[in-house]
Structure formats: C-alpha cells, structure tokens
C-alpha cells in the first residue's frame, strides 16, 4: 500500500458498530483508541473484523490544540 498521507497509525480492530449506512470502527493503537466513521460498504470491502490489524490514515489540513482553563 502506498499513500500520500504520512500519518499512518497501525492498530488492531477492537470494535465495529454498523448503522444503517455507516460503521464506527475502533482501533487500538498502542493503547489509545481511535474511532473512524466509514461506510458499511468500506467495512465489507476491507474485510474488517475484530482482531484484524488495520491502519488509521490521518489526512488533515489543520490540527488544532486546546487546553482546559
């Protein structure tokens, strides 16, 4: 797999919650959980299932930082 995105985080699928058209896929990446909303079709095409390794690919033009006051 070659991508232009440089932010690839390898993790393990820990949960898939399918809705009517969209699934929420949770990846455990080094002890942190990342959740992605993708189409049910994408889940099927990628053959995602709990226990399988996958990558979170982050492509964003901005990253914002916040703090508690």
């Amino acid at each position: 797999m070659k991508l232009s995105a440089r932010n690839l985080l390898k993790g393990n699928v820990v949960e898939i919650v399918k809705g009517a058209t969209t699934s929420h896929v949770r990846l455990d990446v080094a002890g942190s959980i990342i959740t992605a909303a993708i189409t049910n079709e994408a889940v099927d095409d990628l053959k995602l299932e709990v226990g399988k390794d996958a990558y979170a690919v982050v492509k964003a033009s901005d990253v914002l930082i916040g703090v508690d006051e």
Side-chain angles (χ1 to χ4, degrees):
M1 166 178 57
K2 283 191 170 189
L3 299 171
S4 62
R6 297 294 179 236
N7 300 309
L8 299 174
L9 305 169
K10 187 174 183 179
N12 187 269
V13 178
V14 294
E15 183 178 37
I16 300 170
V17 178
K18 282 193 171 184
T21 59
T22 303
S23 293
H24 289 100
V25 179
R26 293 169 41 111
L27 292 181
D28 181 334
V29 177
S32 294
I33 300 296
I34 294 179
T35 303
I38 64 174
T39 65
N40 291 336
E41 183 179 5
V43 170
D44 295 339
D45 288 348
L46 294 169
K47 298 181 174 101
L48 292 178
E49 57 187 42
V50 172
K52 184 174 181 178
D53 285 342
Y55 292 88
V57 181
V58 181
K59 183 75 173 180
S61 58
D62 296 305
V63 176
L64 304 177
I65 303 294
V67 297
D68 292 327
E69 293 185 17

